[in-house]
Amino acid sequence: MLIMSQGGSGRSDDDDASNTPSATSFDDVGPQVERSAAAPWLSIEQQRVWRAWLLGAARITAHLSQDLRQHGLELCEYEILVSLSEAPDHAVRMSVLATEVHQSRSRLTHAIERLEARGLVVREPAVRDRRGVVASLSSEGMDLLRQAAPDHVRAVRHIFVDPIDPTDFAALGRAMNAVLSVSD
């Protein structure tokens, strides 16, 4: 059942006529859902692209996560190690790190605890105000990142970069930049 589109239901003429929605409802969801200017529905093409993006993003995440498991890492943990490796002195305040890796502070704290237990990250009070906490990449964390990175890049190329035509890839970059520019 299509619930986000104004398009036709795809039913054949042989379908039961009693299932035909009223003229004031969406063809795809039945008479209980009325058109609303406050919530415009997606066109069939918009819905197709939206669902392809959802499935594609899930497939990419699953593929990258599976690939990183050979190194004992989850994708969110890898992102943390990368972010720390790119920071001055390989250290970032936890609140800033949460924003950089797009994780809630609670989720980040749990991930950092796992990485810290493995000796990949160290947490210390912030030098300037002692109220904040800074996460730092340990030498063991950097070593693991150096081991995992080549495999991760191959996986990203395999599932994301190589299958996409360069023109489409550039358009995808523009589209994601537009998405990122939308305020919360």
Side-chain angles (χ1 to χ4, degrees):
M1 171 181 1
L2 300 175
I3 62 168
M4 295 172 61
S5 163
Q6 301 183 69
S9 65
R11 292 186 206 99
S12 71
D13 292 338
D14 298 331
D15 288 340
D16 182 1
S18 66
N19 290 332
T20 303
S22 71
T24 60
S25 67
F26 285 99
D27 295 351
D28 307 297
V29 295
Q32 72 278 11
V33 179
E34 295 183 17
R35 293 178 191 246
S36 169
W41 294 84
L42 299 178
S43 71
I44 295 295
E45 178 63 9
Q46 289 168 332
Q47 184 173 202
R48 185 190 65 75
V49 171
W50 171 244
R51 288 187 174 179
W53 180 84
L54 287 174
L55 292 172
R59 183 165 184 221
I60 290 166
T61 299
H63 181 80
L64 297 179
S65 294
Q66 179 63 35
D67 185 72
L68 285 167
R69 286 190 191 109
Q70 69 181 310
H71 297 284
L73 291 169
E74 296 295 324
L75 183 57
C76 66
E77 295 170 337
Y78 181 84
E79 291 172 353
I80 291 166
L81 296 180
V82 167
S83 190
L84 291 173
S85 76
E86 294 170 342
D89 299 322
H90 306 298
V92 178
R93 191 178 183 100
M94 290 283 287
S95 58
V96 172
L97 185 59
T99 301
E100 287 181 2
V101 297
H102 308 288
Q103 294 182 22
S104 69
R105 289 184 185 191
S106 174
R107 182 174 181 196
L108 176 66
T109 297
H110 290 295
I112 291 289
E113 286 172 354
R114 290 191 307 270
L115 294 169
E116 191 174 34
R118 294 173 54 199
L120 304 174
V121 171
V122 176
R123 280 186 295 178
E124 300 173 321
V127 174
R128 291 191 179 170
D129 67 11
R130 295 280 183 206
R131 290 178 302 168
V133 175
V134 172
S136 302
L137 185 62
S138 70
S139 58
E140 293 85 357
M142 183 61 87
D143 289 344
L144 180 59
L145 185 58
R146 285 185 179 122
Q147 291 170 12
D151 291 328
H152 182 67
V153 170
R154 277 191 288 278
V156 169
R157 286 193 164 283
H158 172 77
I159 195 70
F160 185 67
V161 176
D162 294 344
I164 301 174
D165 178 88
T167 303
D168 292 339
F169 196 78
L172 180 60
R174 289 189 303 275
M176 290 301 100
N177 283 331
V179 169
L180 293 172
S181 73
V182 174
S183 61
D184 290 337

